Amino acid sequence: MTSFRFIHAADLHLGSPFQGLALKDADVAKLFVEASRKAFTNLVDRALELEVDFVIIAGDVYDGDWPDNSIGLFYNRQVARLTRAGIPVYFLRGNHDAESVITKTITLPENVFEFSTRKPETFRIDGLKVALHGQGFANRSANDNLAIAYPSAESGVFNIGVLHTSLTGREPHAPYAPCSLDDLKSKGYDYWALGHVHEYEVVAEDPPVIFPGNIQGRSIREQGARGAVLVTVEDGALRHERLIVDEARFAAATVEVMPDDTMPALLLKIEQAVAPVAAAMEGRPAALRLRLFGHSHLKHDIAAAGPDFRDEVQAACHRAGADLWLEKLELAIELPQEETTRDHFDGLDLEGLIDGHVFSPEMLALAQARIGEIAVKMPPGSTAGDQPLGADARTLLEEARELLIASARRGD
């Protein structure tokens, strides 16, 4: 049997927005926005360096319909690099780039082969004695078990199944093209190249059934290294390994604030806590979600400092790693339990009058309306997803409450 190598990738999601990412530094924000494209460029670079024999992309090349042709032109430019090196690409459509979703087209190089969306199709690489079997999505919602109709393995060749699927279910991914592991094994293939699930997972080893995960994390829900799978077949023996190609990462950390912490001590604690996170990025920029929790007399001081405290936390992150950027700072700090939960100012029970846990529906609705009025006046691209001011109405009201109490305590 011949020997060969191939790369199995999936879920490129070219054109995908980064969700909930609000960074003050415009250059850094741009880097994250462009990370998906750069990750695919990195993947093509590795394919060329390794001189693989072919590349498989198991669905969701695009994140959705193109606003213009720039996304298609980018993909064409990259796969053309592979074509010029004699490396064919075999891909199929997933739920995000189903045939009914993508309305624009760019003619792809002749060495790029797309699996049919009408029925399973087989591509053969005769020189390598390889047969690839697959079917793409005609519509975004594929509720049928597509694997059932795949042909049985061809004798005398290395059979690869390519499928965009949730298998029997992988939360939080939608249950598309559902099937069981037994359904896949029944075909007698030597390798199953899956897509749709964004986490790397070796579902089975005999035969290998693998989700490579997506090539670039796009939100705090997609943390850690991202990439593809390099598969090597030598005299019938198969081995696989990850290829990490992501350009930027998301991470999370928590720090407990203690009752006796001073502000300098807290900032040092933050710096020490996030240093391992920065080191794990291996030089990549990282968007960090940091949660501070515990009981501390600093609660009101932190609220009063507002953006200045966030900047101090950002500075602590930068002392730990030059490219560690705050994606979000979550504050869950309470006053020490032994301290009275009510502050009184000249006989006025201010905290009692402004109870942060019982904002009325009318107050929340009014706050949300005001947020909407502010959002439409903000520069394009400066808001983050469904929360243009970085938090929901209740969180913003609670922050305003803390600022008012802190100001009253200082006698402002």
Side-chain angles (χ1 to χ4, degrees):
M1 184 175 286
T2 57
S3 298
F4 54 89
R5 288 194 295 183
F6 65 91
I7 286 177
H8 163 207
D11 300 284
L12 312 184
H13 288 279
L14 299 178
S16 171
F18 273 67
Q19 301 167 14
L21 185 60
L23 293 169
K24 290 186 176 182
D25 190 302
D27 291 335
V28 176
K30 182 179 179 182
L31 186 153
F32 274 84
V33 169
E34 295 177 346
S36 293
R37 291 192 182 193
K38 187 63 169 66
F40 185 52
T41 301
N42 293 342
L43 180 67
V44 172
D45 289 343
R46 294 304 306 278
L48 295 172
E49 292 167 5
L50 294 167
E51 298 181 336
V52 299
D53 293 283
F54 55 95
V55 172
I56 297 171
I57 304 176
D60 285 355
V61 169
Y62 308 111
D63 191 61
D65 201 14
W66 313 343
D68 53 55
N69 286 335
S70 62
I71 299 171
L73 288 170
F74 169 78
Y75 180 62
N76 173 78
R77 184 167 69 253
Q78 294 304 319
V79 294
R81 295 172 60 204
L82 296 174
T83 297
R84 289 192 294 272
I87 301 174
V89 177
Y90 300 88
F91 81 100
L92 51 73
R93 295 174 183 265
N95 54 297
H96 277 266
D97 58 358
E99 193 170 49
S100 64
V101 172
I102 305 299
T103 60
K104 299 179 176 64
T105 60
I106 290 290
T107 301
L108 294 172
E110 60 181 11
N111 225 26
V112 177
F113 303 94
E114 179 186 347
F115 289 98
S116 171
T117 60
R118 297 186 302 278
K119 62 181 182 179
E121 183 176 10
T122 298
F123 291 110
R124 297 173 183 83
I125 309 176
D126 294 332
L128 299 178
K129 295 185 177 179
V130 170
L132 301 98
H133 316 280
Q135 179 179 350
F137 285 19
N139 300 293
R140 179 182 289 274
S141 180
N143 299 317
D144 297 332
N145 183 342
L146 301 181
I148 290 295
Y150 277 41
S152 297
E154 298 182 4
S155 62
V157 301
F158 188 91
N159 289 267
I160 301 173
V162 186
L163 181 63
H164 199 77
T165 178
S166 58
L167 282 182
T168 53
R170 293 292 192 280
E171 295 292 342
H173 302 283
Y176 292 139
C179 62
S180 69
L181 183 58
D182 286 341
D183 291 335
L184 304 185
K185 288 186 173 183
S186 70
K187 299 301 176 180
Y189 295 172
D190 301 286
Y191 184 90
W192 274 96
L194 305 185
H196 183 52
V197 174
H198 288 188
E199 297 298 325
Y200 169 69
E201 181 183 354
V202 179
V203 181
E205 283 284 11
D206 186 21
V209 179
I210 299 178
F211 287 107
N214 55 354
I215 64 172
Q216 173 60 55
R218 301 174 301 152
S219 75
I220 194 64
R221 294 187 300 275
E222 298 178 348
Q223 300 178 35
R226 304 279 151 171
V229 175
L230 173 66
V231 181
T232 302
V233 179
E234 293 180 324
D235 298 324
L238 182 151
R239 67 176 186 273
H240 56 83
E241 59 190 282
R242 292 192 77 188
L243 284 180
I244 305 304
V245 301
D246 56 348
E247 187 68 12
R249 291 181 186 167
F250 288 82
T254 59
V255 173
E256 184 174 7
V257 188
M258 304 302 292
D260 58 349
D261 278 341
T262 63
M263 187 64 76
L266 174 57
L267 293 173
L268 178 59
K269 184 183 288 188
I270 291 171
E271 180 181 344
Q272 293 171 340
V274 302
V277 176
M281 297 302 107
E282 300 177 324
R284 295 173 179 82
L288 174 70
R289 179 167 295 187
L290 180 63
R291 182 175 184 268
L292 304 183
F293 73 100
H295 294 81
S296 173
H297 297 278
L298 296 174
K299 173 182 170 68
H300 291 317
D301 293 335
I302 288 172
D308 289 340
F309 177 71
R310 189 187 191 281
D311 289 343
E312 282 285 11
V313 174
Q314 177 63 84
C317 291
H318 281 163
R319 289 193 290 273
D323 282 320
L324 192 59
W325 301 88
L326 272 180
E327 180 260 355
K328 187 176 183 180
L329 178 62
E330 295 182 342
L331 300 175
I333 304 170
E334 300 296 337
L335 291 172
Q337 294 178 354
E338 70 274 10
E339 181 176 313
T340 176
T341 59
R342 304 281 186 188
D343 280 333
H344 295 264
F345 308 99
D346 295 328
L348 178 64
D349 181 5
L350 186 57
E351 290 202 26
L353 289 174
I354 314 173
D355 191 334
H357 301 289
V358 290
F359 293 124
S360 68
E362 293 77 14
M363 183 179 292
L364 289 170
L366 180 60
Q368 191 61 51
R370 293 292 181 266
I371 291 171
E373 293 173 2
I374 296 171
V376 297
K377 298 177 182 179
M378 295 176 70
S382 62
T383 61
D386 296 331
Q387 298 178 358
L389 300 188
D392 59 22
R394 180 179 296 278
T395 300
L396 292 172
L397 284 172
E398 289 174 352
E399 290 177 356
R401 170 183 179 271
E402 293 298 331
L403 285 170
L404 180 57
I405 293 172
S407 178
R409 294 182 70 186
R410 294 196 310 267
D412 293 353

